[in-house]
Amino acid sequence: MKTDALIRLMAADTRTGPTLGRALVVALAAGLSAAVTLFFIELGFRPGLPDALATPRVLVKLAVVVLLSAASLMLVARAGRPEADLARPARALLVPAAIIVAAVGGEFLVVPESDWRTSLIGHNAAACLAMVMLMGAVPLVALLFALKRGAPQSPARAGAIAGLTAGALAATLYALHCPDDSPFFVATWYTLAIGGLTLIGAVAGARMLRW
């Protein structure tokens, strides 16, 4: 049997199709429920959030994590199907990346050099890393088990996409609490937390999602 025919046959297997889609929906619902519960138990919304939403830095921070979440959700919806083209949705990741790069560039221009370190470290660097990864843990595990219903072309890549999705969603929640709004802070600590979950997802996916 030719490779392409084998892939099409596996894609048509009863583990995929609508079953995979339903599994992903359930995984996201369960994972987000756990993350939101942890958010309200440990964090809650930042004081003065409505006023903060009117400031450019907060809007940029939220735009980055929301757009990253949207792009990663498009990717994870396709990651379990071996015939899926991931290139087009992957290009959507360039939008939040471009926004944060531009914001960091603007920060270099408007913030005095003597304040760069303070803006980078912020007040909650350790909390950012810990809470984003903690809130993303259940969504990651749930997505990995959902992707087992499919037949991802690259198990490690599919796991990494699950980690990216979990991290982006957790970072969106954390951004509603975090008082550190500098693009320096967001580009560093949010990226490290999301990147950590992406790496964990890649390693776990390579083991869990093998055909």
Side-chain angles (χ1 to χ4, degrees):
M1 182 180 293
K2 293 183 179 180
T3 301
D4 290 346
L6 176 60
I7 289 176
R8 285 194 296 271
L9 181 61
M10 294 189 71
D13 188 83
T14 56
R15 295 182 304 148
T16 59
T19 302
L20 173 59
R22 284 195 297 269
L24 287 170
V25 170
V26 171
L28 285 168
L32 280 175
S33 295
V36 169
T37 300
L38 181 59
F39 173 81
F40 282 111
I41 291 174
E42 295 292 334
L43 300 174
F45 295 118
R46 66 186 284 178
L49 178 60
D51 293 333
L53 291 173
T55 63
R57 283 180 171 181
V58 174
L59 290 176
V60 167
K61 177 171 67 174
L62 288 174
V64 168
V65 291
V66 168
L67 290 172
L68 181 61
S69 296
S72 61
L73 284 169
M74 289 191 293
L75 279 169
V76 81
R78 295 164 172 78
R81 295 180 169 85
E83 81 285 4
D85 178 16
L86 299 181
R88 183 173 297 177
R91 286 195 287 271
L93 296 173
L94 296 175
V95 177
I99 292 173
I100 193 61
V101 168
V104 168
E107 195 84 339
F108 276 119
L109 295 176
V110 302
V111 174
E113 184 175 351
S114 59
D115 293 336
W116 288 355
R117 177 179 172 81
T118 301
S119 297
L120 174 66
I121 301 301
H123 301 93
N124 300 280
C128 176
L129 284 174
M131 291 308 303
V132 171
M133 295 189 74
L134 280 173
M135 289 191 294
V138 174
L140 172 56
V141 172
L143 285 171
L144 286 171
F145 275 101
L147 288 171
K148 286 175 67 69
R149 304 294 297 175
Q153 199 169 56
S154 168
R157 182 177 62 190
I161 291 171
L164 175 65
T165 305
L169 293 171
T172 301
L173 279 175
Y174 186 76
L176 297 173
H177 165 82
C178 180
D180 293 304
D181 302 323
S182 170
F184 290 163
F185 185 93
V186 175
T188 302
W189 303 106
Y190 282 53
T191 299
L192 285 173
I194 295 170
L197 284 167
T198 302
L199 179 59
I200 292 169
V203 173
R207 293 175 175 271
M208 291 179 60
L209 304 178
R210 285 182 294 186
W211 296 2

